[in-house]
Amino acid sequence: MLSLVTLLAQATAGQSQGGLFARPEIMMVLMVVMFYFLLIRPQQRQRKELQKRIDALQKGDEVVTTAGIHAIVHNIKDRTVVLKVADGVMMEFDKPAVATVIKKEASTTA
C-alpha cells in the first residue's frame, strides 16, 4: 500500500501543473515576442520615418537638432546640413544630428 502511494505521488510530481504556459521555454519565447512587438519594431519604424524625412530635407524646412537647437535649413550637402540659427548665424551639422523635421508647408499653414 505504501509503495502504491509513493508511485502515485511520483507520477503526479512529474507532471507539470498549469498547462502549456508553465513551461519556462514557452514563457521566454513569449517574452521575446512581446519585446519585439512592443519595443523593437516601433523604434525601427520611427528610425526609418526620420531617415526618410532627413533624406527629403529641403531649403527652408524648420528642424530641431538632437542638442535642441531650432533652426531653418539653409544649405544641404552630402553628409551635412547648414542651418540658419539666427540672422547671419550659420551652423553646420551632420545629418544624423537632426532630430525633428517640420516641413515648410506645414509650418505656414499652422
Side-chain angles (χ1 to χ4, degrees), residues 39-89:
L39 298 174
I40 298 169
R41 190 170 179 212
Q43 186 177 16
Q44 286 177 343
R45 188 178 314 141
Q46 287 176 349
R47 192 177 312 128
K48 287 179 183 178
E49 181 179 320
L50 180 61
Q51 187 61 40
K52 285 181 188 177
R53 287 184 182 172
I54 290 173
D55 291 339
L57 274 178
Q58 295 177 350
K59 186 175 181 178
D61 290 344
E62 294 182 24
V63 296
V64 179
T65 66
T66 55
I69 299 172
H70 294 254
I72 298 173
V73 175
H74 179 64
N75 190 8
I76 301 168
K77 298 180 182 178
D78 288 336
R79 296 186 337 205
T80 62
V81 61
V82 178
L83 301 178
K84 180 180 178 183
V85 180
D87 289 334
V89 180

Side-chain angles (χ1 to χ4, degrees), residues 85-98:
V85 180
D87 289 334
V89 180
M90 305 291 177
M91 298 175 74
E92 188 170 359
F93 287 92
D94 288 339
K95 282 186 178 179
V98 175

Side-chain angles (χ1 to χ4, degrees), residues 1-8:
M1 180 79 159
L2 186 57
S3 63
L4 179 63
V5 172
T6 56
L7 285 175
L8 286 175

